[in-house]
Amino acid sequence: MPEPARRTLVHGGTLVTSAGVAAADVRFVDGAVAAIGALDPEPGDALVDASGCFVLPGGVDFHTHIDAVFRGSIRTADDWRTGSAAAAAGGTTTVIDFCSPGPDQPLAEALAGWRARVEEQGPLVDYGAHVILVQPGEERLAELAELPGLGVSSVKLYLAYPGRVMSDDRALFRTLQRAAELGLLVLVHAENGHAIDVLVEEALESGEVEPEWHGHTRPPLTEAEAVSRATALARLAEAELYVVHLSSERALAELRRARADGGRVHGETCSHYLVLDESLLIGAPREEAAKFVCSPPARTRDDQAELWAALGDGGLDVLASDHCPFVLHGEKIVDGDFTHIMNGLPGVEQRLLIGYSGVERGVYPIERLVEIASAEPARLAGIYPRKGDLRVGSDADAVILDPAVRTRFSAETHHSAVDYLPYEGMEVPGRIRDVFVRGRAVVADGRLLDGPGDGRFLARATRSGDPSALPASDEGDTP
Ligand code: URP
Ligand code: ZN
Ligand code: ZN
């Protein structure tokens, strides 16, 4: 006997998709969206009442560091189980994370290892990978031709952290040239690593060791310069560029300039830059200030306002989390001078609701939230419209968001393994009520459901590829 179809009818809600906002029911059958409209229950439908709520496509987080190693041996707090639980609880059903090959490791081998490790841990959400390149030479660049066949359509370079992971301008430009040939998207962490190093040396020589100096030594101009350089080189190489975690008005102005000049340049900001500012570090006790150390650093309230506005007016394309938590009483390292503090914050669980607070404040309409938090990252990832939207045939990844209830963020209730939250005590409008991954409920009435994770690797189309050629979600995605 064939198994009966898995059917769910989400009814009575306000559906928000790339097609607009409408009162509409949605039926999931066997993991995909089967119908949208005014739908009557049919035999076998499990009924979910979404009255008074928004029904949104599942969130797509384009920038997470789950189970990642920095500075050679320091691991982020979440493994794929806890990291994906945090994502799911926050309404994110797809994450694009990073595979970081060893210096002489073939890319295909690194990706196979990365995939095996993720699969072993049983993630609750679907996932894909960007590949990190460190100062790539010609041999490495030749290997990039293998990436599309391995389901990867983007690479990332750091323009910061010299001596660790930074790439120089030649490596950046050659990567952009190769990426343009292959239809790959190039992500850059845009800060001028050399200038920052000099500022750090000067600060330490002057005896400035407190965490706030992490921020003072990474001023907006170091970010703006790197954005300007990367966008110019991308233009020269005729490549498509994506600037991760933009934090300042100055850097944003460089991005806007490059776009106005016709550059194929995309910009991301992250939830923490929208709600955290530099005053949280300045003059604060070391252990408190360390909670907010990330790169680029938290900026001013004026910068925040510009970032919010850019998410609304299209100056920025994506709201990501850069989820990169380190245990405060452990790996975050609050002793010693500020250079020892690990850079990065948790946020995958809070991203969507922080984005929704912009809707509540009238910064942008809810359709725009769907664009920046789901649809556009899915397009850039090469997984749209399977992910990032709710259309007939899309994966049944959905979020029921209750706008009538407020959520208070706290490390006592979050799902990440990290032992603190930079958003501790913050209250935002809305509540993630239910979450579905390929039609299966992973969150019900605000509670994460226990169960085996069956998150799947997503083979991603290149920027020049045909997204409709993607394999169906129920087929194995092994390229
Ligand atoms: O501070 C940050 N952003 N840490 C995560 C790694 C990176 O730079 O993206
Ligand atoms: Zn970065
Ligand atoms: Zn990052």
Side-chain angles (χ1 to χ4, degrees):
M1 279 268 285
E3 285 215 1
R6 284 188 298 120
R7 304 168 61 97
T8 303
L9 180 65
V10 178
H11 62 94
T14 301
L15 187 66
V16 189
T17 69
S18 65
V21 184
D25 311 314
V26 54
R27 175 175 287 114
F28 306 147
V29 177
D30 283 344
V33 176
I36 292 175
L39 306 173
D40 291 325
E42 290 179 0
D45 279 347
L47 299 182
V48 176
D49 185 356
S51 304
C53 296
F54 291 114
V55 180
L56 312 172
V60 177
D61 195 335
F62 203 62
H63 184 166
T64 61
H65 301 271
I66 296 172
D67 191 33
V69 174
F70 288 88
R71 301 193 190 181
S73 61
I74 302 182
R75 202 168 274 283
T76 51
D78 281 314
D79 62 17
W80 275 90
R81 192 70 197 175
T82 58
S84 66
T92 286
T93 52
T94 297
V95 297
I96 313 293
D97 205 272
F98 294 91
C99 165
S100 189
D104 296 315
Q105 190 180 27
L107 297 184
E109 180 190 296
L111 262 164
W114 182 86
R115 281 186 62 173
R117 191 173 161 100
V118 179
E119 254 155 57
E120 209 177 86
Q121 296 179 27
L124 298 164
V125 302
D126 290 347
Y127 55 94
H130 312 287
V131 164
I132 293 176
L133 302 175
V134 178
Q135 191 58 19
E138 290 304 318
E139 209 175 313
R140 183 62 107 200
L141 293 170
E143 271 187 88
L144 297 188
E146 296 171 32
L147 291 184
L150 297 167
V152 171
S153 56
S154 51
V155 294
K156 176 182 179 187
L157 281 84
Y158 286 89
L159 308 186
Y161 310 127
R164 289 194 186 127
V165 289
M166 192 174 98
S167 292
D168 67 17
D169 289 351
R170 181 185 173 91
L172 169 61
F173 187 55
R174 285 291 297 128
T175 302
L176 288 162
Q177 287 181 319
R178 283 290 289 150
E181 287 162 17
L182 296 166
L184 301 173
L185 183 65
V186 178
L187 278 58
V188 284
H189 170 132
E191 289 184 301
N192 185 314
H194 286 311
I196 289 167
D197 260 14
V198 172
L199 296 176
V200 167
E201 283 161 22
E202 287 174 359
L204 293 176
E205 275 163 20
S206 309
E208 303 293 0
V209 294
E210 294 304 311
E212 68 175 78
W213 281 85
H214 171 79
H216 300 323
T217 55
R218 308 180 94 92
L221 271 176
T222 60
E223 185 185 16
E225 183 281 331
V227 172
S228 166
R229 181 164 33 107
T231 53
L233 294 179
R235 192 73 200 276
L236 198 58
E238 296 181 18
E240 195 166 6
L241 185 77
Y242 178 98
V243 184
V244 301
H245 53 45
L246 269 149
S247 67
S248 65
E249 188 278 332
R250 268 182 189 273
L252 181 60
E254 294 299 336
L255 188 88
R256 286 190 192 271
R257 225 188 310 280
R259 287 157 75 113
D261 193 35
R264 289 191 297 152
V265 184
H266 309 276
E268 163 199 287
T269 193
C270 302
S271 16
H272 42 276
Y273 297 117
L274 298 172
V275 292
L276 304 179
D277 67 74
E278 63 182 14
S279 68
L280 293 161
L281 288 96
I282 295 174
R286 184 171 296 193
E287 185 168 316
E288 184 59 22
K291 292 177 181 172
F292 306 102
V293 168
C294 59
S295 294
R299 306 288 191 189
T300 66
R301 289 187 172 224
D302 287 346
D303 289 301
Q304 278 180 6
E306 293 293 332
L307 296 174
W308 277 113
L311 285 172
D313 69 21
L316 288 169
D317 308 283
V318 171
L319 173 60
S321 71
D322 193 7
H323 182 75
C324 188
F326 293 98
V327 173
L328 186 66
H329 299 100
E331 286 74 18
K332 191 80 178 160
I333 314 183
V334 299
D335 294 331
D337 68 61
F338 63 89
T339 62
H340 294 99
I341 304 170
M342 295 303 289
N343 296 193
L345 308 180
V348 72
E349 188 164 348
Q350 293 77 30
R351 178 188 72 116
L352 197 59
L353 282 182
I354 288 175
Y356 178 67
S357 71
V359 175
E360 277 280 318
R361 288 194 298 112
V363 179
Y364 43 69
I366 192 148
E367 307 90 286
R368 183 69 191 152
L369 176 65
V370 163
E371 280 297 308
I372 60 178
S374 299
E376 193 55 19
R379 288 187 201 104
L380 289 163
I383 52 176
Y384 184 89
R386 175 176 160 189
K387 302 291 188 186
D389 210 346
L390 289 169
R391 297 179 178 193
V392 171
S394 298
D395 281 2
D397 295 347
V399 177
I400 300 178
L401 187 154
D402 186 346
V405 184
R406 293 176 71 80
T407 297
R408 185 177 175 278
F409 296 141
S410 174
E412 278 167 30
T413 50
H414 74 184
H415 296 80
S416 165
V418 78
D419 58 344
Y420 81 101
L421 200 56
Y423 315 108
E424 187 65 42
M426 185 182 295
E427 243 195 55
V428 289
R431 170 184 180 241
I432 305 298
R433 201 196 81 178
D434 298 74
V435 180
F436 300 87
V437 176
R438 279 177 279 102
R440 192 173 40 81
V442 292
V443 174
D445 198 17
R447 240 175 19 88
L448 188 76
L449 301 175
D450 234 2
D454 79 337
R456 294 179 188 170
F457 178 74
L458 296 162
R460 301 165 46 208
T462 60
R463 301 298 294 158
S464 44
D466 172 11
S468 65
L470 285 170
S473 61
D474 283 347
E475 290 165 16
D477 277 342
T478 309

